Amino acid sequence: MAKIRLVNMMLYGFHGTYEYERELGQKFYFDVEAVTKDDDVIDDDESNDNVHSTAIYATVKETVENKRFTHMRALAGHIADKLLSQYQNLAEVTVTARRNNATITGPMDYVEVEVTRKAK
C-alpha cells in the first residue's frame, strides 16, 4: 500500500454556522491522506488510473470553493467520500480541516476536525 499526503492546503470557502461566515467567507486549511488498497499504484508507473496528487488537490479545491457547509466535519466528510468515489483503488481517506478564526472566545491557535472514511 501507499500513502499519499497533501498537507496544509489553504483554500477560501464560504462555510460556517453563522450567516456572515457563509457570506464573507474565510480561509480554511486542509490535509488529505489517501491510502491505497494494494501495491498496484506503486508497481505500475505507467497506469492512468493511479491516484494523482494534482487531482486530489483539484477535488478539494472544487468542493471548498463551490459548495457550502455549515460544519467543517460535513465538509471534510464530503471531500473524503468524493475522493473514495473517484478512485476505486483507495482503501481509506482521512481529511483534516481547520480554521484559525473560529467563533470561540478565548485564546487558541485553531479549530480542527478530522474525518476518516473507508472504502466499502
Side-chain angles (χ1 to χ4, degrees):
M1 87 173 167
K3 290 183 180 180
I4 298 125
R5 291 188 188 101
L6 285 79
V7 179
N8 212 32
M9 296 175 276
M10 191 281 292
L11 297 163
Y12 201 83
F14 297 86
H15 315 285
T17 304
Y18 301 103
E19 187 175 334
Y20 73 88
E21 294 174 307
R22 293 186 303 274
E23 287 180 8
L24 299 175
Q26 57 195 308
K27 291 179 186 176
F28 291 87
Y29 299 85
F30 297 89
D31 303 334
V32 173
E33 180 177 273
V35 180
T36 62
K37 290 180 180 176
D38 51 40
D39 286 343
D40 288 349
V41 298
I42 300 166
D43 297 336
D44 185 5
D45 193 36
E46 301 302 318
S47 176
N48 288 330
D49 64 348
N50 278 343
V51 180
H52 299 281
S53 55
T54 54
I56 291 172
Y57 181 88
T59 297
V60 175
K61 184 178 188 320
E62 187 274 325
T63 303
V64 172
E65 292 179 351
N66 296 314
K67 294 197 176 283
R68 291 191 182 206
F69 292 88
T70 304
H71 299 288
M72 282 193 308
R73 62 185 177 264
L75 171 58
H78 184 80
I79 292 168
D81 291 340
K82 196 166 186 180
L83 290 170
L84 284 173
S85 71
Q86 285 179 324
Y87 294 104
Q88 301 307 310
N89 51 359
L90 289 181
E92 180 177 295
V93 174
T94 299
V95 176
T96 305
R98 68 189 151 276
R99 65 182 191 155
N100 56 6
N101 56 344
T103 55
I104 298 172
T105 57
M108 69 173 167
D109 290 337
Y110 53 83
V111 172
E112 177 178 85
V113 298
E114 180 179 281
V115 174
T116 300
R117 297 277 209 239
K118 297 183 183 206
K120 297 177 183 184

